[in-house]
Amino acid sequence: MNSAPLGIFDSGVGGLTVVRAVQELLPSEDILYLGDTARLPYGSKSPETIRQFADEDVRFLISKGVKAVVVACNTATAHALPQLHQQYRVPIIGVIQPGVEAVLEDAGAARIGIIATRGTIRSHAYQHALAQKRTGLLIHGQAAPLLVPLVEENWIGHPATREVLKTYLNPLIDRGIDTLMLACTHYPLLIPVLKDLLPGDVRLVDSATTCAEHLKRELTRLELLASREREGTLELHLTDLSEQFEDLARQFLKKSPGRIHRAVLGP
Ligand code: DGL
């Protein structure tokens, strides 16, 4: 089983931020990535729909023989992870628990801001997970639905993006946050702009790096780490192929994505 690939899925290509973080920490792992580009975004869809999509995503990866599944998508983790855990025996790792643990590694963290899609914020999954682990936290969730399209347009340094970010961040800055949880696949790409706009003492925690660190600990614990010497491979499967997604995949991976396969999902 150790030589089987890891399965990682997201609503689109944004989850490649998680792939990059995993490749950095676990360079010998083969990765099979599924991006549900035909049905994105997940962030604005109902919990029932997300649960159905996430189920089909996991089934696809399991049918390819993966040894573990990473739900790179925050929205899918927020709505579907408990159900996926009940339904499947393969280890399934989401992004929320690792992010929450990383936030609370700082014993002084007390005022937490969370930015994410509408779906993730409305699920209250981060807010509940944080509040369960530490009492007395001040938690403010801010839906930031315009950020995904801005990143996908590669408008990262654009003045419009700065203005939108200021609008989302100002209520959090007014509340005196000490930590900002970047609870969406796309937001690691915004870190340079975020650092510029936030007070210097606000700590940024992103779900991609923290998920990769958690995954390494879990694979070690389950004795599932690949033992090969060579560098791991990456195979991309998307439910819709278009030039735009190829360009985006390159932007997120910072290198050529290689051949992209078309995935057909079924119930
Ligand atoms: N991948 C989604 C997330 O992390 C963002 C994009 C979408 O809404 O599908 O929540």
Side-chain angles (χ1 to χ4, degrees):
M1 205 52 188
N2 295 45
S3 59
L6 283 171
I8 302 184
F9 81 88
D10 178 42
S11 54
V13 288
L16 292 173
T17 52
V18 176
V19 168
R20 281 193 64 205
V22 171
Q23 284 179 323
E24 230 160 81
L25 272 188
L26 299 166
S28 341
E29 296 293 339
D30 287 343
I31 297 174
L32 208 142
Y33 180 85
L34 170 66
D36 193 6
T37 45
R39 304 190 291 193
L40 66 80
Y42 282 11
S44 52
K45 302 220 162 57
S46 70
E48 295 72 32
T49 300
I50 301 304
R51 282 194 277 274
Q52 181 207 321
F53 289 175
D55 183 54
E56 290 171 18
D57 296 334
V58 172
R59 265 171 213 254
F60 174 84
L61 291 172
I62 290 177
S63 78
K64 299 279 177 197
V66 300
K67 63 182 173 187
V69 172
V70 176
V71 186
C73 180
N74 283 263
T75 313
T77 304
H79 291 309
L81 193 66
Q83 166 205 298
L84 296 173
H85 278 158
Q86 274 181 4
Q87 229 166 311
Y88 298 101
R89 283 173 54 196
V90 61
I92 304 183
I93 287 150
V95 277
I96 295 182
Q97 193 203 333
V100 163
E101 280 167 11
V103 165
L104 299 178
E105 261 167 29
D106 177 355
R111 295 170 174 264
I112 320 293
I114 305 160
I115 51 172
T117 63
R118 268 207 188 93
T120 301
I121 295 298
R122 284 196 181 146
S123 75
H124 287 95
Y126 273 97
Q127 294 92 318
H128 285 148
L130 282 162
Q132 255 177 12
K133 291 197 182 245
R134 189 175 295 170
T135 49
L137 290 174
L138 281 171
I139 306 167
H140 188 76
Q142 171 71 55
L146 293 173
L147 297 183
V148 166
L150 286 167
V151 171
E152 296 205 346
E153 282 302 316
N154 206 3
W155 276 28
I156 297 190
H158 195 286
T161 305
R162 290 179 76 87
E163 283 313 307
V164 169
L165 271 173
K166 277 188 207 163
T167 308
Y168 290 143
L169 295 176
N170 281 344
L172 304 175
I173 295 172
D174 289 346
R175 284 177 166 82
I177 57 161
D178 50 52
T179 311
L180 180 64
M181 178 72 226
L182 311 183
C184 177
T185 42
H186 292 56
Y187 300 172
L189 277 79
L190 292 167
I191 287 175
V193 197
L194 286 164
K195 282 192 172 155
D196 209 32
L197 295 175
L198 286 164
D201 53 356
V202 174
R203 181 172 162 242
L204 296 181
V205 177
D206 83 78
S207 61
T209 324
T210 51
C211 174
E213 285 160 357
H214 180 82
L215 175 68
K216 186 174 180 180
R217 286 193 296 274
E218 276 302 284
L219 293 181
T220 310
R221 188 180 67 81
L222 298 166
E223 299 183 358
L224 277 177
L225 283 172
S227 50
R228 64 177 76 85
E229 297 288 305
R230 64 166 171 81
E231 203 176 303
T233 57
L234 171 63
E235 198 177 292
L236 294 193
H237 296 253
L238 302 180
T239 51
D240 180 62
L241 294 180
S242 76
E243 232 174 84
Q244 190 210 339
F245 292 131
E246 261 189 71
D247 292 347
L248 268 177
R250 192 169 298 111
Q251 181 190 331
F252 275 91
L253 279 176
K254 303 201 191 301
K255 62 179 181 204
S256 163
R259 178 169 167 238
I260 304 183
H261 306 258
R262 172 141 191 277
V264 180
L265 307 184

PDB file of all heavy atoms in Angstrom, residues 17-18 21-22 24-25 98 188 191 205-215:
ATOM      1  N   THR A  17      -2.166  24.343  -4.488  1.00  0.00           N
ATOM      2  CA  THR A  17      -1.350  24.933  -3.411  1.00  0.00           C
ATOM      3  C   THR A  17      -1.037  23.851  -2.369  1.00  0.00           C
ATOM      4  O   THR A  17       0.056  23.820  -1.812  1.00  0.00           O
ATOM      5  CB  THR A  17      -2.077  26.116  -2.708  1.00  0.00           C
ATOM      6  OG1 THR A  17      -3.383  25.692  -2.295  1.00  0.00           O
ATOM      7  CG2 THR A  17      -2.195  27.333  -3.609  1.00  0.00           C
ATOM      8  N   VAL A  18      -2.007  22.970  -2.134  1.00  0.00           N
ATOM      9  CA  VAL A  18      -1.788  21.862  -1.192  1.00  0.00           C
ATOM     10  C   VAL A  18      -0.811  20.861  -1.807  1.00  0.00           C
ATOM     11  O   VAL A  18       0.094  20.365  -1.137  1.00  0.00           O
ATOM     12  CB  VAL A  18      -3.137  21.193  -0.816  1.00  0.00           C
ATOM     13  CG1 VAL A  18      -2.922  19.977   0.075  1.00  0.00           C
ATOM     14  CG2 VAL A  18      -4.060  22.199  -0.132  1.00  0.00           C
ATOM     15  N   ALA A  21       2.669  22.113  -1.378  1.00  0.00           N
ATOM     16  CA  ALA A  21       3.128  21.974   0.008  1.00  0.00           C
ATOM     17  C   ALA A  21       3.455  20.509   0.317  1.00  0.00           C
ATOM     18  O   ALA A  21       4.443  20.209   0.991  1.00  0.00           O
ATOM     19  CB  ALA A  21       2.064  22.518   0.963  1.00  0.00           C
ATOM     20  N   VAL A  22       2.636  19.580  -0.214  1.00  0.00           N
ATOM     21  CA  VAL A  22       2.881  18.146   0.028  1.00  0.00           C
ATOM     22  C   VAL A  22       4.164  17.718  -0.692  1.00  0.00           C
ATOM     23  O   VAL A  22       4.996  16.996  -0.130  1.00  0.00           O
ATOM     24  CB  VAL A  22       1.663  17.295  -0.443  1.00  0.00           C
ATOM     25  CG1 VAL A  22       1.983  15.808  -0.398  1.00  0.00           C
ATOM     26  CG2 VAL A  22       0.429  17.597   0.417  1.00  0.00           C
ATOM     27  N   GLU A  24       6.714  19.439  -1.323  1.00  0.00           N
ATOM     28  CA  GLU A  24       7.883  19.964  -0.617  1.00  0.00           C
ATOM     29  C   GLU A  24       8.244  19.106   0.600  1.00  0.00           C
ATOM     30  O   GLU A  24       9.408  18.830   0.858  1.00  0.00           O
ATOM     31  CB  GLU A  24       7.588  21.384  -0.161  1.00  0.00           C
ATOM     32  CG  GLU A  24       8.687  22.356  -0.546  1.00  0.00           C
ATOM     33  CD  GLU A  24       8.187  23.770  -0.534  1.00  0.00           C
ATOM     34  OE1 GLU A  24       8.131  24.336   0.564  1.00  0.00           O
ATOM     35  OE2 GLU A  24       7.816  24.284  -1.610  1.00  0.00           O
ATOM     36  N   LEU A  25       7.209  18.689   1.341  1.00  0.00           N
ATOM     37  CA  LEU A  25       7.446  17.920   2.573  1.00  0.00           C
ATOM     38  C   LEU A  25       7.642  16.431   2.325  1.00  0.00           C
ATOM     39  O   LEU A  25       8.332  15.757   3.087  1.00  0.00           O
ATOM     40  CB  LEU A  25       6.246  18.076   3.518  1.00  0.00           C
ATOM     41  CG  LEU A  25       6.240  19.229   4.483  1.00  0.00           C
ATOM     42  CD1 LEU A  25       5.061  19.069   5.430  1.00  0.00           C
ATOM     43  CD2 LEU A  25       7.523  19.275   5.309  1.00  0.00           C
ATOM     44  N   PRO A  98      -6.063  20.509  10.793  1.00  0.00           N
ATOM     45  CA  PRO A  98      -4.656  20.967  10.818  1.00  0.00           C
ATOM     46  C   PRO A  98      -4.536  22.481  10.957  1.00  0.00           C
ATOM     47  O   PRO A  98      -3.670  22.978  11.679  1.00  0.00           O
ATOM     48  CB  PRO A  98      -4.096  20.506   9.471  1.00  0.00           C
ATOM     49  CG  PRO A  98      -5.004  19.443   8.989  1.00  0.00           C
ATOM     50  CD  PRO A  98      -6.342  19.691   9.589  1.00  0.00           C
ATOM     51  N   PRO A 188      -3.076  31.298  -0.221  1.00  0.00           N
ATOM     52  CA  PRO A 188      -1.615  31.390  -0.057  1.00  0.00           C
ATOM     53  C   PRO A 188      -0.963  32.287  -1.115  1.00  0.00           C
ATOM     54  O   PRO A 188       0.047  32.928  -0.850  1.00  0.00           O
ATOM     55  CB  PRO A 188      -1.150  29.931  -0.192  1.00  0.00           C
ATOM     56  CG  PRO A 188      -2.308  29.133   0.284  1.00  0.00           C
ATOM     57  CD  PRO A 188      -3.534  29.885  -0.174  1.00  0.00           C
ATOM     58  N   ILE A 191      -0.511  35.948   0.023  1.00  0.00           N
ATOM     59  CA  ILE A 191       0.232  36.243   1.259  1.00  0.00           C
ATOM     60  C   ILE A 191       1.066  37.538   1.160  1.00  0.00           C
ATOM     61  O   ILE A 191       1.007  38.365   2.085  1.00  0.00           O
ATOM     62  CB  ILE A 191       1.070  35.018   1.718  1.00  0.00           C
ATOM     63  CG1 ILE A 191       0.118  33.958   2.282  1.00  0.00           C
ATOM     64  CG2 ILE A 191       2.113  35.399   2.775  1.00  0.00           C
ATOM     65  CD1 ILE A 191       0.754  32.643   2.681  1.00  0.00           C
ATOM     66  N   VAL A 205      -1.896  32.037   9.095  1.00  0.00           N
ATOM     67  CA  VAL A 205      -1.838  30.572   9.064  1.00  0.00           C
ATOM     68  C   VAL A 205      -2.555  30.129   7.797  1.00  0.00           C
ATOM     69  O   VAL A 205      -3.700  30.523   7.573  1.00  0.00           O
ATOM     70  CB  VAL A 205      -2.544  29.957  10.305  1.00  0.00           C
ATOM     71  CG1 VAL A 205      -2.536  28.446  10.231  1.00  0.00           C
ATOM     72  CG2 VAL A 205      -1.871  30.435  11.596  1.00  0.00           C
ATOM     73  N   ASP A 206      -1.876  29.341   6.950  1.00  0.00           N
ATOM     74  CA  ASP A 206      -2.577  28.937   5.728  1.00  0.00           C
ATOM     75  C   ASP A 206      -2.856  27.450   5.715  1.00  0.00           C
ATOM     76  O   ASP A 206      -2.099  26.653   6.263  1.00  0.00           O
ATOM     77  CB  ASP A 206      -1.833  29.416   4.468  1.00  0.00           C
ATOM     78  CG  ASP A 206      -0.714  28.504   4.066  1.00  0.00           C
ATOM     79  OD1 ASP A 206      -0.982  27.455   3.474  1.00  0.00           O
ATOM     80  OD2 ASP A 206       0.452  28.846   4.364  1.00  0.00           O
ATOM     81  N   SER A 207      -3.995  27.099   5.099  1.00  0.00           N
ATOM     82  CA  SER A 207      -4.454  25.718   5.200  1.00  0.00           C
ATOM     83  C   SER A 207      -3.632  24.758   4.350  1.00  0.00           C
ATOM     84  O   SER A 207      -3.658  23.558   4.593  1.00  0.00           O
ATOM     85  CB  SER A 207      -5.953  25.617   4.875  1.00  0.00           C
ATOM     86  OG  SER A 207      -6.213  26.034   3.569  1.00  0.00           O
ATOM     87  N   ALA A 208      -2.872  25.262   3.380  1.00  0.00           N
ATOM     88  CA  ALA A 208      -2.094  24.351   2.528  1.00  0.00           C
ATOM     89  C   ALA A 208      -0.888  23.772   3.288  1.00  0.00           C
ATOM     90  O   ALA A 208      -0.724  22.554   3.402  1.00  0.00           O
ATOM     91  CB  ALA A 208      -1.627  25.085   1.273  1.00  0.00           C
ATOM     92  N   THR A 209      -0.071  24.659   3.866  1.00  0.00           N
ATOM     93  CA  THR A 209       1.132  24.190   4.582  1.00  0.00           C
ATOM     94  C   THR A 209       0.747  23.338   5.779  1.00  0.00           C
ATOM     95  O   THR A 209       1.353  22.284   6.023  1.00  0.00           O
ATOM     96  CB  THR A 209       1.925  25.418   5.101  1.00  0.00           C
ATOM     97  OG1 THR A 209       1.821  26.449   4.141  1.00  0.00           O
ATOM     98  CG2 THR A 209       3.355  25.104   5.379  1.00  0.00           C
ATOM     99  N   THR A 210      -0.250  23.801   6.535  1.00  0.00           N
ATOM    100  CA  THR A 210      -0.589  23.082   7.766  1.00  0.00           C
ATOM    101  C   THR A 210      -1.175  21.706   7.446  1.00  0.00           C
ATOM    102  O   THR A 210      -0.933  20.744   8.164  1.00  0.00           O
ATOM    103  CB  THR A 210      -1.577  23.899   8.622  1.00  0.00           C
ATOM    104  OG1 THR A 210      -2.668  24.298   7.800  1.00  0.00           O
ATOM    105  CG2 THR A 210      -0.940  25.128   9.195  1.00  0.00           C
ATOM    106  N   CYS A 211      -1.896  21.606   6.326  1.00  0.00           N
ATOM    107  CA  CYS A 211      -2.463  20.307   5.932  1.00  0.00           C
ATOM    108  C   CYS A 211      -1.336  19.350   5.534  1.00  0.00           C
ATOM    109  O   CYS A 211      -1.362  18.170   5.905  1.00  0.00           O
ATOM    110  CB  CYS A 211      -3.433  20.513   4.768  1.00  0.00           C
ATOM    111  SG  CYS A 211      -4.060  18.989   4.103  1.00  0.00           S
ATOM    112  N   ALA A 212      -0.334  19.854   4.814  1.00  0.00           N
ATOM    113  CA  ALA A 212       0.786  18.997   4.390  1.00  0.00           C
ATOM    114  C   ALA A 212       1.543  18.475   5.622  1.00  0.00           C
ATOM    115  O   ALA A 212       1.924  17.297   5.678  1.00  0.00           O
ATOM    116  CB  ALA A 212       1.718  19.773   3.468  1.00  0.00           C
ATOM    117  N   GLU A 213       1.730  19.336   6.620  1.00  0.00           N
ATOM    118  CA  GLU A 213       2.449  18.907   7.830  1.00  0.00           C
ATOM    119  C   GLU A 213       1.656  17.821   8.563  1.00  0.00           C
ATOM    120  O   GLU A 213       2.199  16.816   9.021  1.00  0.00           O
ATOM    121  CB  GLU A 213       2.684  20.106   8.763  1.00  0.00           C
ATOM    122  CG  GLU A 213       3.791  21.012   8.238  1.00  0.00           C
ATOM    123  CD  GLU A 213       3.763  22.417   8.822  1.00  0.00           C
ATOM    124  OE1 GLU A 213       2.842  22.732   9.607  1.00  0.00           O
ATOM    125  OE2 GLU A 213       4.664  23.205   8.471  1.00  0.00           O
ATOM    126  N   HIS A 214       0.347  18.034   8.648  1.00  0.00           N
ATOM    127  CA  HIS A 214      -0.531  17.056   9.308  1.00  0.00           C
ATOM    128  C   HIS A 214      -0.509  15.725   8.550  1.00  0.00           C
ATOM    129  O   HIS A 214      -0.442  14.650   9.141  1.00  0.00           O
ATOM    130  CB  HIS A 214      -1.950  17.627   9.366  1.00  0.00           C
ATOM    131  CG  HIS A 214      -2.940  16.735  10.023  1.00  0.00           C
ATOM    132  ND1 HIS A 214      -3.084  16.673  11.388  1.00  0.00           N
ATOM    133  CD2 HIS A 214      -3.825  15.859   9.509  1.00  0.00           C
ATOM    134  CE1 HIS A 214      -4.032  15.800  11.673  1.00  0.00           C
ATOM    135  NE2 HIS A 214      -4.494  15.294  10.555  1.00  0.00           N
ATOM    136  N   LEU A 215      -0.556  15.816   7.212  1.00  0.00           N
ATOM    137  CA  LEU A 215      -0.542  14.614   6.377  1.00  0.00           C
ATOM    138  C   LEU A 215       0.732  13.800   6.644  1.00  0.00           C
ATOM    139  O   LEU A 215       0.681  12.583   6.792  1.00  0.00           O
ATOM    140  CB  LEU A 215      -0.612  15.016   4.897  1.00  0.00           C
ATOM    141  CG  LEU A 215      -0.477  13.890   3.889  1.00  0.00           C
ATOM    142  CD1 LEU A 215      -1.689  12.960   3.923  1.00  0.00           C
ATOM    143  CD2 LEU A 215      -0.302  14.442   2.470  1.00  0.00           C
TER     144      LEU A 215
END
